[in-house]
Amino acid sequence: MAMPLRQSIKVATYLAEQKLRRRDKFPLIVELEPLYACNLKCEGCGKIQHPAGVLKQRMPVAQAVGAVLESGAPMVSIAGGEPLMHPQIDEIVRQLVARRKYVFLCTNALLLRKKMDKFKPSPYFAFAVHIDGLRERHDESVAKEGVFDEAVEAIKEAKRRGFRVTTNSTFFNTDTPQTIIEVLNFLNDDLQVDEMMISPAYAYEKAPDQEHFLGVEQTRELFKKAFAGGNRRRWRLNHSPLFLDFLEGKVDFPCTAWAIPNYSLFGWQRPCYLMSDGYVPTYRELVEDTDWDKYGRGKDPRCANCMAHCGYEPTAVLATMGSLKESLRAMRETVSGNRE
């Protein structure tokens, strides 16, 4: 796990505080969507399927920052849509960083080089560039040629300027262990990004492409083979060891979607950003008024093939904190990753 040591300590301290306060449900990271508009039409995403009136909306800075502060989460992932299309995205980031929230700005990178001057490097801030494969595979997934090359150049420029750069890669049933190995080798070794996040594709209900999402057994087999030969230890993956075990099928977990809640133009989304069963105005209402026991594999048919990080990474993190053996294991990988 390549999470910076300072960030690891802050998250561990936060989790310990929740335990001391005997809170059984709390956010680990907030997924903030201050807009739905995007400059791409990716087949695996349905955000731009919203009506034109919704796509024109931009969340006010105070509302965005207030939602994060209300939740108390130590980390924020800003997505959308394409957040760099928000005219005040730099101010949202600035205010969150000033409050020492760890902020990941998720972007397809088409606007990154143009907008980079609006941001300042900080240990609390990172650009998270979405890369789903090498050139042909990535451009196919975003339905536009040239996007991969622009993303690569933007990553190089951001790194040159001293920004932390992470990546997020979603894999589908059209992927093979080799295609996963190739893109992660490229990101890890050639581009030398700081951290990489990976996730099996989930059948997001608004996505135009509903045919290429992975099932549970497909996911386990795919990652088991991709992680073989020492790859998993070598790559700077931004995941807990137990979540990677989960992807391989070595362990299984229940979903804890309340730990990575989504806040958008409509409010706090039930139960997660992948499923829309309504919205509430406060995180407290989300936690207290949602019947969490009815969600998850074996409970809700929509969850049958889900192994997405938004539901299962927090479970793995909590399981790690509850085990001395797993805590030491995660600590060893964190220290090792920071030495590289």
Side-chain angles (χ1 to χ4, degrees):
M1 183 171 64
M3 182 185 292
L5 188 58
R6 178 189 299 182
Q7 183 179 344
S8 298
I9 293 172
K10 180 165 184 175
V11 172
T13 301
Y14 169 79
L15 292 173
E17 289 174 353
Q18 306 314 303
K19 186 174 182 179
L20 286 174
R21 295 178 182 181
R22 298 183 179 180
R23 291 177 176 170
D24 61 346
K25 290 184 176 61
F26 47 84
L28 186 61
I29 180 170
V30 169
E31 292 184 334
L32 178 67
E33 294 181 326
L35 80 172
Y36 286 133
C38 190
N39 48 8
L40 288 176
K41 298 179 180 179
C42 303
E43 290 296 308
C45 174
K47 298 297 183 181
I48 61 170
Q49 304 300 317
H50 287 288
V54 173
L55 294 179
K56 292 178 181 179
Q57 294 181 34
R58 305 292 184 264
M59 186 181 293
V61 173
Q63 181 181 346
V65 174
V68 175
L69 297 181
E70 178 219 340
S71 76
M75 299 182 289
V76 188
S77 174
I78 305 178
E82 170 51 55
L84 289 178
M85 293 176 65
H86 193 297
Q88 295 175 293
I89 189 60
D90 56 319
E91 182 61 18
I92 293 175
V93 169
R94 188 193 68 78
Q95 291 197 23
L96 291 171
V97 167
R99 290 165 172 83
R100 296 190 176 183
K101 302 293 183 181
Y102 283 92
V103 180
F104 298 85
L105 194 155
C106 303
T107 176
N108 57 39
L110 284 179
L111 295 172
L112 183 51
R113 287 197 286 178
K114 183 184 296 185
K115 303 282 188 176
M116 205 176 295
D117 286 338
K118 289 177 169 284
F119 304 91
K120 295 181 179 180
S122 166
Y124 290 95
F125 176 67
F127 290 114
V129 181
H130 206 99
I131 300 289
D132 281 345
L134 296 182
R135 182 180 290 107
E136 182 178 352
R137 172 72 182 85
H138 181 72
D139 287 356
E140 180 184 12
S141 73
V142 302
K144 185 175 182 179
E145 292 185 2
V147 177
F148 177 84
D149 289 338
E150 177 59 32
V152 168
E153 291 307 311
I155 289 172
K156 290 179 179 178
E157 177 66 12
K159 292 284 291 180
R160 187 186 69 79
R161 295 196 192 188
F163 288 98
R164 285 182 62 212
V165 181
T166 70
T167 55
N168 183 9
S169 301
T170 304
F171 298 110
F172 296 79
N173 65 14
T174 50
D175 281 294
T176 66
Q178 188 57 35
T179 62
I180 293 176
I181 290 169
E182 288 172 357
V183 69
L184 294 183
N185 277 346
F186 176 74
L187 296 172
N188 191 84
D189 302 336
D190 294 28
L191 284 186
Q192 297 185 3
V193 300
D194 294 281
E195 303 163 4
M196 300 176 293
M197 189 169 72
I198 57 179
S199 184
Y202 169 81
Y204 179 67
E205 62 184 2
K206 290 183 178 293
D209 182 358
Q210 292 288 322
E211 298 179 2
H212 297 114
F213 295 100
L214 287 159
V216 171
E217 292 307 318
Q218 286 178 301
T219 296
R220 290 169 175 166
E221 188 66 18
L222 185 65
F223 285 105
K224 181 179 180 180
K225 291 179 178 179
F227 289 161
N231 285 330
R232 172 176 154 175
R233 182 175 295 275
R234 183 172 59 81
W235 291 328
R236 292 182 296 278
L237 297 174
N238 186 22
H239 294 289
S240 64
L242 275 179
F243 179 73
L244 299 177
D245 286 349
F246 169 75
L247 289 182
E248 288 191 67
K250 293 180 178 179
V251 296
D252 200 9
F253 293 120
C255 173
T256 51
W258 45 262
I260 305 187
N262 174 273
Y263 185 78
S264 70
L265 294 167
F266 300 138
W268 295 96
Q269 183 171 332
R270 285 195 178 115
C272 65
Y273 85 97
L274 294 169
M275 293 166 56
S276 182
D277 285 359
Y279 299 83
V280 293
T282 67
Y283 178 73
R284 181 174 180 178
E285 289 177 78
L286 176 73
V287 169
E288 295 181 356
D289 298 343
T290 303
D291 185 2
W292 299 103
D293 290 337
K294 74 178 185 179
Y295 296 107
R297 281 186 278 118
K299 298 177 180 178
D300 189 314
R302 296 172 297 177
C303 304
N305 290 315
C306 182
M307 294 182 71
H309 67 278
C310 64
Y312 296 97
E313 177 75 79
T315 324
V317 170
L318 293 173
T320 298
M321 291 295 294
S323 165
L324 177 59
K325 177 182 177 181
E326 292 299 334
S327 295
L328 291 173
R329 177 189 178 197
M331 187 180 300
R332 284 195 300 270
E333 295 198 16
T334 297
V335 172
S336 175
N338 279 279
R339 285 176 177 169
E340 293 179 0

